[in-house]
Amino acid sequence: MIEIKDKTVYCQTQNTSYWFGINDYQHPVHYYFGPKIPLQDVAPLQRDHVVAYGSSVELGYLYSLDQEALEISFSGKGDFREVAYEISDLKQDALSHLRVTKVFLNDHIDFPKAFFYPRITDSVQQVVVQLVDDYHPIRLELFYTVYEEEDVILRHQRIINEGADIVLINRLMSLQLDLNEQGFEVITANGTWGREAQLTKDRINSGTLIHQSRTGASSNLSNPGLILKKPQICYGFNLIYSGNHYNSVSVNYDGSTRVLSGINPQTFSWNLKPQESFETPLAICTTGHTEAQVSNHFHQFIKNRIVPTAPFPKPITYNHWEGTFFDYNHKKLISFAKKAKECGMDLFVIDDGWFGKRDQDNCSLGDYFENTNKFPQGLKNTIQQIRDLGLKVGLWVEPEMISEDSECYRQHPHWVVGKPNHLRAKGRNQWILDLCQTEVQDYIVDHVGRLIDEYQVDYIKWDMNRHHSDQFSCVLENQKEFDVRFQMALVSILRRIFIERKHVFLEMCSSGGNRFDLGMLSVAQQIWTSDNTDAMDRLKIQEGTALFYPLSVLSNHVSGKINTQTLRKTSLSTRFNVACFGALGYELDLNLCSKVELDEIKEQIEFYKKVQELILKGDFMVTETDNPNRVCWQVKNGKQALVGYFGKMNSGLQPREKLRVLDLESQTMYSIESKPQRLMLDQFGELLKHVAKFPIHPYGSIMNLLSHYKTIQDGVFKTSASGALLAQGIVLNDLYLGTGYHESIRLWGDFGSTLYVVKEIENET
Ligand code: GLA
């Protein structure tokens, strides 16, 4: 609900309030953002201007912009903090003075047309603040779109050139939030390739903390999601944008905190021609008492309003990439497809290498014509055979890129990003296609569209495997427009291909999670979380990603026994127990799996299908444990929860362990049962000599053969408890300590884990 009263705008959502107003100087000032409070006069929230700071600059008696909580800031009139708006004329005259001329409820919802935006329904309202700049002939509009149900406020800005000359936009952030308090911890998800979304917590007491991307994508270096946390209050932000972003948090000398979020001004400027307008991407902001509440608001909003409706249940994917890399052909794929189907998988993805002469990563990007060596009878034939087995089929593409060794490059050398006749940096042996050229956009739309239609694929994995460099396009007058123009073109390409092909399930990928953002999720149902499939590393990667994004969009695969990134050996059960917290897939050489491994995969898939709704629709949270060697995740939906309890390094000295499950009905009784899982015999080494009924070499060929067929049960656990007791913790069964075996002992070793299913016990009447 939005109410405008006496120059104050009250935005009320189900659980939060956002209030701002227009002061006597016609500046938009911030009053309150936090847990919901009933409407009242804002006088107690207004600053009483009774003292002046010695060296400050005043626009009126005791009125200094540097000490005001503003909704939009500009430089040149005494606000010395980082500002949200900076424009100039071509002579670099950058003086500005923004004043509000009008505030009104919009009779329709205006969103930036060149970028993705969320779904709108009746319960959404928008208020617009219109401003003029005394020094430039522009009109600026600040938009606040209120999603009452999801407790989310969207912010964006539009600038219109009403003069006769070009105006240069040097920065225009999507969001500014000035809070009259300090002492926040700033939580972000940073990293790099294979180490995405590592949560970092920085306490900021002075100066400015900047998290940004300059790579041409939201990047694996710094995700655009941001949380500010204090003991009683948290604020959460994110951008619906996939390009270079900039999030800054500054603490001012007067104890206030300014948050700015939007397009990275360091890599941006824009020539705004007469009568033209420029709109920023949308920024999400939300608030709650705790980090978990903010995370939950993000999740609900993304599920309800951003991600295109996905088929449910989601297909369980088989992808051969880690099992083969480029070394595959028709025969190998069919043998995998048969096993994938037997195990219960639904979708078979043919990854990189099916086109051109691509047997390595140094050629053929741009030439999406089937590789006749790998598919002598044609790719259509392979696809048909896979489909005949009862599987859906998907293809990998990397449409924004071009290989030097490709027909595409030989025919269109001028399509490559960068200055002609200069050395252009390559990444993974490839260059970038200049999406700013309309000819290139049409080529991608036609090419990918043709592929989907001709091969009738059900799924596309859209990859993008390098950071941008050499940002120069022969069609641009101002090269600092490159990054944003590239994003606008990408949005337009994706819309043109996928809006009319809604049946295609789209998974985004960028060397794993290099573009895990709300821009991509506006068109794709899920994103490949990381190229790093090591279960232990994934505990951190998935946890960081899941703080900002719901489990339903995290694509996770169970990969081989010895991880190709870390060389770590992890049990099949733990690989699954981690991967199942999201959209599940398998990515290993199925021909190398033993009979018992294939049986276990089959059981895992049967189990996952039963709890998929709980996982993909439920509320996820990380539960704190006393033991730094343990990680505990839970996802809860209605009367059920699934808990993942994971161990890192084992030790014979593990203290007694408690399992806590939160947010259940305290008076209700629940059953708690471990998911059955198998232990492979080859895990026990010489111990087997002591239990075997006949002499056996623990590392010999008979043992090897036996371990293909025999397994033992691990850590069977079953009990019941009330929700209240589960919140305090129930005692778990013992870990193996070297003294005997019982089926309820947890034989975890290093990197062990167990899943627990928690279900409400229906009262018998
Ligand atoms: C990227 C992706 C992988 C795989 C390869 C293929 O690295 O993240 O999943 O598709 O490309 O080249």
Side-chain angles (χ1 to χ4, degrees):
M1 185 270 288
I2 303 177
E3 194 168 320
I4 307 174
K5 207 172 152 203
D6 302 332
K7 293 191 173 176
T8 301
V9 179
Y10 299 92
C11 305
Q12 301 284 91
T13 70
Q14 206 159 248
N15 299 296
T16 72
S17 300
Y18 189 119
W19 298 353
F20 66 96
I22 315 305
N23 69 11
D24 296 343
Y25 293 87
Q26 289 174 267
H27 296 144
V29 283
H30 181 79
Y31 295 135
Y32 176 82
F33 185 32
K36 191 169 189 172
I37 41 176
L39 299 199
Q40 68 153 76
D41 189 86
V42 289
L45 294 163
Q46 278 167 326
R47 262 191 79 222
D48 223 348
H49 298 95
V50 288
V51 287
Y53 284 72
S55 49
S56 61
V57 173
E58 293 174 355
L59 271 183
Y61 179 62
L62 292 178
Y63 180 73
S64 169
L65 278 180
D66 209 28
Q67 289 130 34
E68 291 300 313
L70 298 165
E71 291 291 306
I72 179 87
S73 54
F74 45 91
S75 46
K77 292 286 171 205
D79 186 344
F80 299 106
R81 295 166 284 185
E82 250 201 283
V83 294
Y85 161 95
E86 194 184 291
I87 66 165
S88 66
D89 61 17
L90 291 175
K91 287 191 213 128
Q92 293 299 324
D93 174 359
L95 271 187
S96 280
H97 185 188
L98 290 172
R99 286 181 303 104
V100 176
T101 50
K102 205 170 154 189
V103 178
F104 59 94
L105 264 184
N106 215 354
D107 54 13
H108 60 285
I109 306 290
D110 260 322
F111 276 149
K113 287 164 204 63
F115 302 113
F116 286 119
Y117 46 80
R119 284 191 284 283
I120 314 164
T121 57
D122 295 345
S123 58
V124 182
Q125 279 184 301
Q126 190 173 61
V127 61
V128 188
V129 179
Q130 221 171 69
L131 303 103
V132 290
D133 186 334
D134 289 345
Y135 295 85
H136 302 277
I138 63 96
R139 178 155 46 100
L140 183 71
E141 290 167 336
L142 316 184
F143 293 88
Y144 298 75
T145 314
V146 178
Y147 282 80
E148 206 167 328
E149 273 166 45
E150 287 89 358
D151 294 313
V152 159
I153 298 193
L154 293 183
R155 304 271 306 268
H156 79 284
Q157 305 194 32
R158 180 197 288 157
I159 179 170
I160 302 139
N161 183 352
E162 296 186 324
D165 299 312
I166 286 182
V167 168
L168 208 61
I169 310 171
N170 297 313
R171 67 157 63 199
L172 191 62
M173 306 310 287
S174 300
L175 163 138
Q176 168 173 333
L177 182 67
D178 280 1
L179 297 161
N180 279 318
E181 54 183 321
Q182 62 173 8
F184 288 102
E185 191 174 58
V186 179
I187 306 175
T188 50
N190 298 319
T192 181
W193 174 70
R195 190 155 44 86
E196 294 88 346
Q198 308 291 299
L199 291 181
T200 49
K201 300 187 177 187
D202 297 292
R203 187 163 297 283
I204 172 163
N205 294 316
S206 65
T208 299
L209 182 70
I210 296 168
H211 285 284
Q212 61 173 325
S213 156
R214 300 161 59 91
T215 68
S218 52
S219 89
N220 46 27
L221 307 177
S222 164
N223 194 278
L226 180 80
I227 290 178
L228 261 62
K229 180 179 176 184
K230 273 174 82 156
Q232 291 304 321
I233 182 98
C234 272
Y235 296 101
F237 311 91
N238 208 334
L239 285 170
I240 307 183
Y241 186 59
S242 293
N244 291 342
H245 63 91
Y246 184 87
N247 287 335
S248 72
V249 183
S250 317
V251 173
N252 203 19
Y253 55 83
D254 63 352
S256 62
T257 302
R258 171 169 290 175
V259 182
L260 296 176
S261 180
I263 291 172
N264 194 336
Q266 296 179 4
T267 55
F268 164 78
S269 85
W270 190 272
N271 290 1
L272 191 65
K273 300 200 175 115
Q275 308 314 313
E276 285 189 355
S277 64
F278 179 85
E279 296 172 303
T280 68
L282 286 151
I284 291 188
C285 53
T286 184
T287 181
H289 290 291
T290 62
E291 196 180 317
Q293 271 178 8
V294 163
S295 175
N296 190 266
H297 292 169
F298 282 144
H299 293 173
Q300 298 311 329
F301 185 73
I302 296 167
K303 282 193 270 193
N304 296 352
R305 309 282 187 164
I306 298 229
V307 185
T309 327
F312 197 85
K314 273 197 178 192
I316 294 169
T317 308
Y318 176 73
N319 182 315
H320 60 84
W321 178 247
E322 277 202 30
T324 63
F325 295 123
F326 290 104
D327 179 20
Y328 65 89
N329 55 24
H330 166 84
K331 209 169 142 210
K332 216 182 236 182
L333 293 192
I334 297 299
S335 68
F336 289 153
K338 284 184 182 150
K339 291 195 168 139
K341 180 65 195 172
E342 279 162 22
C343 290
M345 297 178 214
D346 309 301
L347 167 72
F348 190 93
V349 179
I350 306 179
D351 209 279
D352 192 1
W354 60 265
F355 52 90
K357 50 188 177 69
R358 195 158 162 93
D359 295 321
Q360 291 181 55
D361 65 11
N362 62 0
C363 66
S364 301
L365 291 176
D367 301 345
Y368 297 102
F369 302 103
E370 60 197 57
N371 178 319
T372 42
N373 286 338
K374 284 180 180 148
F375 304 102
Q377 329 254 292
L379 180 61
K380 265 195 187 155
N381 173 279
T382 307
I383 289 180
Q384 193 50 49
Q385 287 194 33
I386 298 173
R387 195 165 278 132
D388 289 346
L389 289 168
L391 291 162
K392 291 188 182 302
V393 183
L395 279 184
W396 178 98
V397 284
E398 195 177 355
E400 295 153 75
M401 297 291 150
I402 182 165
S403 305
E404 186 170 10
D405 181 5
S406 68
E407 282 314 308
C408 185
Y409 176 65
R410 284 184 275 278
Q411 282 171 28
H412 312 284
H414 58 290
W415 281 5
V416 176
V417 165
K419 269 201 161 162
N421 308 320
H422 287 70
L423 174 70
R424 284 173 290 208
K426 281 188 181 161
R428 211 194 184 206
N429 293 311
Q430 62 207 41
W431 285 321
I432 305 153
L433 277 170
D434 181 6
L435 268 52
C436 303
Q437 300 182 36
T438 44
E439 223 186 332
V440 176
Q441 296 172 21
D442 293 344
Y443 170 80
I444 296 176
V445 171
D446 292 348
H447 225 57
V448 178
R450 177 190 58 79
L451 268 183
I452 296 174
D453 300 342
E454 203 174 309
Y455 294 101
Q456 293 187 5
V457 292
D458 309 285
Y459 159 109
I460 286 286
K461 176 173 172 189
W462 183 295
D463 211 338
M464 194 284 273
N465 277 313
R466 58 161 291 183
H467 295 325
H468 286 190
S469 67
D470 297 272
Q471 293 89 336
F472 178 93
S473 165
C474 57
V475 295
L476 293 184
E477 284 165 27
N478 174 358
Q479 295 299 335
K480 275 193 114 179
E481 290 179 11
F482 177 87
D483 289 303
V484 172
R485 294 258 182 215
F486 190 97
Q487 290 306 317
M488 290 173 163
L490 181 60
V491 168
S492 147
I493 289 170
L494 289 167
R495 278 183 175 148
R496 284 169 67 193
I497 299 174
F498 292 102
I499 286 191
E500 61 180 64
R501 294 182 181 85
K502 289 211 165 55
H503 61 282
V504 178
F505 189 93
L506 178 61
E507 174 159 337
M508 282 293 167
C509 173
S510 180
S511 308
N514 179 44
R515 204 158 57 178
F516 209 115
D517 59 60
L518 299 179
M520 290 297 114
L521 286 172
S522 299
V523 65
Q525 279 91 0
Q526 59 193 42
I527 300 179
W528 177 226
T529 316
S530 173
D531 275 354
N532 185 344
T533 50
D534 177 278
M536 286 300 106
D537 283 359
R538 279 281 187 143
L539 283 176
K540 282 183 110 183
I541 296 169
Q542 289 176 212
E543 183 172 320
T545 312
L547 181 62
F548 297 98
Y549 306 92
L551 294 190
S552 53
V553 302
L554 269 66
S555 167
N556 304 326
H557 293 177
V558 173
S559 60
K561 195 184 296 185
I562 297 181
N563 188 267
T564 54
Q565 289 87 13
T566 60
L567 300 182
R568 197 185 341 254
K569 193 172 168 189
T570 313
S571 66
L572 181 53
S573 48
T574 289
R575 280 175 272 150
F576 168 78
N577 294 349
V578 176
C580 77
F581 280 84
L584 180 69
Y586 285 78
E587 184 163 341
L588 70 178
D589 186 337
L590 289 172
N591 293 338
L592 295 182
C593 290
S594 65
K595 155 128 186 15
V596 286
E597 284 171 327
L598 290 173
D599 288 348
E600 174 147 355
I601 291 177
K602 199 170 171 188
E603 284 166 18
Q604 290 175 341
I605 291 174
E606 275 164 15
F607 172 83
Y608 182 80
K609 286 188 173 167
K610 284 190 205 134
V611 292
Q612 190 188 28
E613 184 161 2
L614 159 66
I615 293 173
L616 301 185
K617 295 191 178 166
D619 296 334
F620 173 75
M621 70 160 101
V622 176
T623 322
E624 280 181 21
T625 64
D626 313 333
N627 183 341
N629 230 338
R630 297 287 181 260
V631 172
C632 187
W633 292 350
Q634 77 167 60
V635 58
K636 195 202 125 202
N637 194 23
K639 298 175 173 182
Q640 274 196 56
L642 180 75
V643 182
Y645 193 60
F646 306 98
K648 298 179 195 164
M649 297 306 289
N650 199 18
S651 132
L653 303 168
Q654 290 296 345
R656 191 165 288 286
E657 300 188 69
K658 274 189 167 187
L659 183 78
R660 293 200 306 143
V661 192
L662 303 181
D663 274 356
L664 301 172
E665 297 295 327
S666 54
Q667 303 297 324
T668 306
M669 286 301 291
Y670 294 87
S671 65
I672 304 103
E673 204 168 329
S674 58
K675 173 197 167 293
Q677 60 188 28
R678 295 152 179 261
L679 289 161
M680 306 294 160
L681 293 185
D682 58 4
Q683 196 166 325
F684 295 98
E686 297 176 27
L687 267 183
L688 285 170
K689 285 193 302 193
H690 306 293
V691 289
K693 301 213 168 64
F694 50 92
I696 188 165
H697 189 307
Y699 309 113
S701 48
I702 298 182
M703 188 60 235
N704 189 18
L705 190 69
L706 256 181
S707 68
H708 275 63
Y709 296 95
K710 271 213 93 50
T711 54
I712 47 179
Q713 283 287 310
D714 181 23
V716 178
F717 181 81
K718 195 172 176 183
T719 190
S720 56
S722 66
L725 179 55
L726 278 161
Q728 298 308 316
I730 54 167
V731 179
L732 278 183
N733 43 355
D734 285 344
L735 264 190
Y736 176 73
L737 273 181
T739 53
Y741 165 75
H742 182 277
E743 65 164 19
S744 68
I745 284 178
R746 283 178 295 142
L747 279 146
W748 271 14
D750 287 342
F751 325 124
S753 65
T754 309
L755 292 180
Y756 298 92
V757 179
V758 181
K759 268 191 199 158
E760 188 176 316
I761 300 173
E762 304 286 344
N763 278 336
E764 286 166 32
T765 45

